[in-house]
Every structure is written in C-alpha cells, then in structure tokens.
Amino acid sequence: FRCRVILHTCATVTAVRDFSRKYPFPLNMICTDARGDVFCAHQTAAGLLETAAETPCALTNHIVDDRLMYRLNRQGVTAFPESPTTRLRRGKLLDFAHRRNGECTAEEVLAFISDHEGRKPSVICPAGNVALTYASPQAEPGRFRIAQPRVTGNEEWTEFSV
C-alpha cells in the first residue's frame, strides 16, 4: 500500500525520503527522480537506514551492508537471515550496471531482470517471483512497467502512465 502512495504522491527523492521517515514500513528501496537524484535505503522496524547514494546501487530483499548490520545489532537485532543467492544476485546487478558505466536502454534492463539463465543461483528473477518492476524517470518520464509472472503465467510487461 505505501509503495502505491509513494508512486502517486512523491515526485522527488526528497519527497520519498521524507515520506519514508514519517511513515516507517519494512522495505528495501531504490528510488531515482527526473533530476537524477538517488535514494537507496533499508526501511526497517529500527527506522530508515539509508545507504550511500553511490551509483550504481543495488539491493535485494535482505540487508547485506555490514555497517547497517552493526547499527541494527547495537539496537538489539541478533539475526540477519539471507538466502544463499542474496549476495550473488546483488553482485550480478552491480556488475551489470558497472559494465555499462551506469548507462543502458530500457530493453537491456527488462531483458536482464527477466532472464532466468537456466535457474542459476545468481538469477535476478527466481522461479516464483511475484512481480518485476521497472521505471527510469530520466529516460522515460511518466512511465512505469510491471510484469507479474505468477499471476499471468508469463513475463509480459504492462506499461502504466504515472
């Protein structure tokens, strides 16, 4: 629900950051806006934990930043479960962006994130993924794409105007 609110009400990274601080909810997110500003953060029960705004940046659904783990541990968190594929997927995302010097087409990204590669551990879209999303506000202002392989049985991208 909160992601939908962000999509409908926040036009800038600053607005997303402010919303996330005001209404905490568990989610890892990377946002960028039409100016090229980047917001990369883990939203946790312990609060908003922003990572460095270096580009390219990548997150999976687990906390893999040692500084953030330490900060959370000091607040009482004792376990940081992650799947055996977490760091491989994040590494693959960073490699993809670095090899292209942070510049690629929408088609390259869409093909990359939906490629199953014979189900290797580093695959970005593992079997059973509920949804894939893509937006590039600098290159394609007002466009947002979603694929729902578990719902539709395929990975066709549906485009929305936002």
Side-chain angles (χ1 to χ4, degrees), residues 13 17 29-32 36-41 49-58 65 67 90:
V13 160
R17 183 181 290 113
M29 70 173 102
I30 298 173
C31 298
T32 185
D37 291 338
V38 175
F39 173 63
C40 182
L49 305 169
E50 193 166 350
T51 65
E54 299 171 0
T55 56
C57 54
D65 184 296
R67 292 172 300 158
R90 184 170 181 269

Side-chain angles (χ1 to χ4, degrees), residues 113-129:
I113 64 177
S114 60
D115 183 6
H116 294 292
E117 294 183 275
R119 305 289 182 208
K120 291 180 183 175
S122 61
V123 70
I124 301 305
C125 176
N129 241 26

Side-chain angles (χ1 to χ4, degrees), residues 30-82:
I30 298 173
C31 298
T32 185
D33 61 27
R35 294 185 306 220
D37 291 338
V38 175
F39 173 63
C40 182
H42 297 281
Q43 180 71 289
T44 73
L48 183 66
L49 305 169
E50 193 166 350
T51 65
E54 299 171 0
T55 56
C57 54
L59 292 175
T60 63
N61 54 338
H62 300 90
I63 296 174
V64 294
D65 184 296
D66 293 339
R67 292 172 300 158
L68 296 180
M69 288 176 167
Y70 176 74
R71 181 174 161 192
L72 288 169
N73 180 258
R74 291 189 49 108
Q75 294 180 25
V77 178
T78 58
F80 300 92
E82 63 182 60

